[in-house]
Amino acid sequence: MARLPTIKDVASAAGVHFTTVSMALRGDPRLRPETRDRIFEAVARVGYRRNPVSESLSQRRSSGNAVAIAPRIAYLANRSPEEGMLKFAHYRLMIHGAREQAEAFGYGFEALFVDSGYHDSQSLYRYLKENAIKGVIIGAFEPTRRTLELPWEEFCVVKIDSRHMSPAATFVSNDQMQYVRLAFQKLRALSYRRIGLAIGVNDELGTGGLHTCGLLLEQSSIDRDQQVEPLFFPPEASDSDVAQMLGSWIKKGSVDAVISNSMSIRRLLGSSGARCPEDVACASVCMSQKTPSLAGVVANLDMIGRQVTGSLIALLRAEKHGIPESPTSTYVQGNWHDATSAPRRT
C-alpha cells in the first residue's frame, strides 16, 4: 500500500515548517498571501488530503461564514514516521480506529509526534494551546524513547498502554494477560508441555508486566517440572542477538513451544537453529491480522482506537480536565488463530 502524503511532506515541498502548513490549512490570517499560495500549491503537488471535518470548516471560513472552531483531538506518539511509526500495523490500526471514532462524533483529529525533528514537551504545549486542542491521547508511548511533561490539569487525557510513564490517566489497552493465558491454554490443548514466554523488556515495562502475569497464572496450575523461566530481550537487541538468546534458552529449558509478542518469532526461531514447528512450535500474542504461517492471538486494535477516543470524548463533553483521582482501565480481548506454526503435537 502506498504511503499517504503527510503534512510534513507538504512542508518540505513548500520550504516551510509543518506548523506553518497547519496555519495555512486553518486559514490563519497571520500568514502572508504569498506563503499561503506556495503552501496550497505544494498541497496540490504532493496530493495531500485533509480529514473531512477540517476541510468542511476551511471551506466555510473561506466563503466568509463565521464558524466556531471545531473541537479537535490530538493523538500523540513518541515514534515518528521516519522512525518507523507507520511501518508497524498495530500503530496504524489503533490510529485508524481513533480517527474514525473522532470524525464520527464531529471532532477533528491530528497525529502529533514527540520525537526528533517534531515536538518536545514545550513545543507540543505551544501547539496544543495555539490550536485550542483540549483532548489528547497518549498513544502507546515506548519506554526508552522520549517522554512527555505537560500541565495535565489543562487537558482531558487518555492513554493506550504507556503504563511506565505519568500521568496515571484513564487507560485503554490490549488485554496482554488474557492474550498470554489464551495462547498458553491453546498450546497445552495441542499437547505442548514446556511452553515458554519470550518478550522484550520494553514491552513488559510499557504494559505493566501483564505478559508475565498471564504466564505465572497459567504456570500455577501445572507441574513445576513443566514450568519454563521467561526470556526477556534487552532494549534495542538486534535480530542476531535475539536469535542467539532464543537458541540458548530453548536448549537449556527443553522448550517445545514459544509464546512471544513478535510477529517475526518464526523467522527468529529459524535463525536460532530451531526448526518450527518440527523442533519448537510458536505463537504470537501481538497479531494485527490472521496469517496461515503463524498461530497466535489476533488483537482488536481498531477497537482499541475507537474505545480510547470514545473515552476521551466523554471527558471532553463533561469538561473533566486533569487527572482523575480514580482513573478507569479498559482491556480489549483478542481471539485465537490456529496456523501451521503450532500444529497438534503427536
Side-chain angles (χ1 to χ4, degrees), residues 92-102 301-307 309:
R92 295 199 305 270
L93 288 169
M94 286 189 292
I95 291 175
H96 175 268
R99 181 189 300 274
E100 193 174 61
Q101 187 79 340
L301 300 165
D302 194 84
M303 183 185 297
I304 291 170
R306 293 197 301 272
Q307 180 69 47
T309 299

Side-chain angles (χ1 to χ4, degrees), residues 98-250:
R99 181 189 300 274
E100 193 174 61
Q101 187 79 340
E103 294 178 353
F105 281 86
Y107 285 77
F109 183 93
E110 185 171 3
L112 301 173
F113 305 103
V114 182
D115 203 357
S116 177
Y118 286 86
H119 285 293
D120 57 19
S121 294
Q122 291 181 337
S123 68
L124 177 64
Y125 178 63
R126 288 195 300 270
Y127 185 85
L128 296 174
K129 296 294 286 185
E130 289 169 1
N131 292 277
I133 298 175
K134 294 291 187 180
V136 297
I137 297 168
I138 299 175
F141 267 46
E142 299 178 37
T144 73
R145 299 186 67 85
R146 295 194 180 210
T147 188
L148 182 63
E149 293 291 338
L150 293 175
W152 302 113
E153 67 275 5
E154 299 182 24
F155 301 95
C156 298
V157 187
V158 293
K159 297 167 64 173
I160 298 176
D161 292 334
S162 313
R163 293 288 291 272
H164 63 287
M165 62 174 282
S166 298
T170 295
F171 172 87
V172 181
S173 174
N174 292 316
D175 193 345
Q176 289 92 359
M177 183 167 65
Q178 179 257 343
Y179 291 8
V180 171
R181 297 193 69 181
L182 178 59
F184 196 99
Q185 293 164 11
K186 291 292 185 178
L187 290 170
R188 292 281 296 183
L190 292 169
S191 298
Y192 297 96
R193 288 297 174 263
R194 297 194 58 79
I195 303 167
L197 174 69
I199 196 167
V201 169
N202 282 350
D203 298 309
E204 279 298 88
L205 289 174
T207 59
L210 290 179
H211 298 93
T212 305
C213 289
L215 174 71
L216 294 176
L217 282 170
E218 289 303 316
Q219 286 185 338
S220 67
S221 63
I222 65 175
D223 294 339
R224 182 174 293 274
D225 62 2
Q226 293 182 353
Q227 297 175 13
V228 178
E229 288 290 325
L231 172 64
F232 299 106
F233 305 124
E236 309 301 330
S238 67
D239 281 1
S240 60
D241 292 337
V242 169
Q244 185 175 7
M245 292 175 69
L246 276 170
S248 300
W249 173 70
I250 289 168

